[in-house]
Amino acid sequence: MNKSKRPFTKSKRSFRRRLPPIQLGDRIDYRNMSLISRFISEQGKILSRRVNRVTLKQQRLITIAIKQARILSLLPFLNNQKQFER
């Protein structure tokens, strides 16, 4: 009769918390190409918020900055390198 109340307990694994991709001093701006390029896939698509691990406000600012950089031709709209590799 010496049964524990929770027989299936999860193991207490230690996990390292991932560092946020945007530090406090970083400005989300269309000119900050080193920051913006981290949030774009290889095809040129904007990565989702879940993948980026950023807040909703940061994701909105990133999206606006990427779109402004595309309009000013700092970034390509599409990155179709695979078509030319044949």
Side-chain angles (χ1 to χ4, degrees), residues 2-64:
N2 193 5
K3 288 187 178 179
S4 64
K5 291 181 182 177
R6 294 197 295 173
F8 300 107
T9 58
K10 290 184 179 178
S11 63
K12 301 233 178 190
R13 284 185 273 149
S14 64
F15 64 96
R16 205 183 93 196
R17 198 160 179 188
R18 287 183 56 156
L19 293 172
I22 299 175
Q23 267 62 31
L24 293 173
D26 289 342
R27 286 196 41 86
I28 302 171
D29 197 7
Y30 68 93
R31 291 171 284 178
N32 194 351
M33 296 304 296
S34 61
L35 179 72
I36 288 177
S37 61
R38 285 190 258 163
F39 303 106
I40 299 176
S41 69
E42 290 188 13
Q43 291 84 27
K45 294 181 180 180
I46 301 171
L47 294 173
S48 69
R49 196 180 139 222
R50 195 176 66 238
V51 174
N52 289 338
R53 295 190 182 271
V54 293
T55 63
L56 180 62
K57 189 174 182 180
Q58 288 173 336
Q59 181 69 19
R60 284 192 192 127
L61 291 171
I62 290 166
T63 303
I64 290 168

Side-chain angles (χ1 to χ4, degrees), residues 65-78:
I66 289 171
K67 289 178 180 180
Q68 285 175 339
R70 284 176 175 168
I71 289 169
L72 294 170
S73 69
L74 299 172
L75 279 176
F77 280 92
L78 293 173

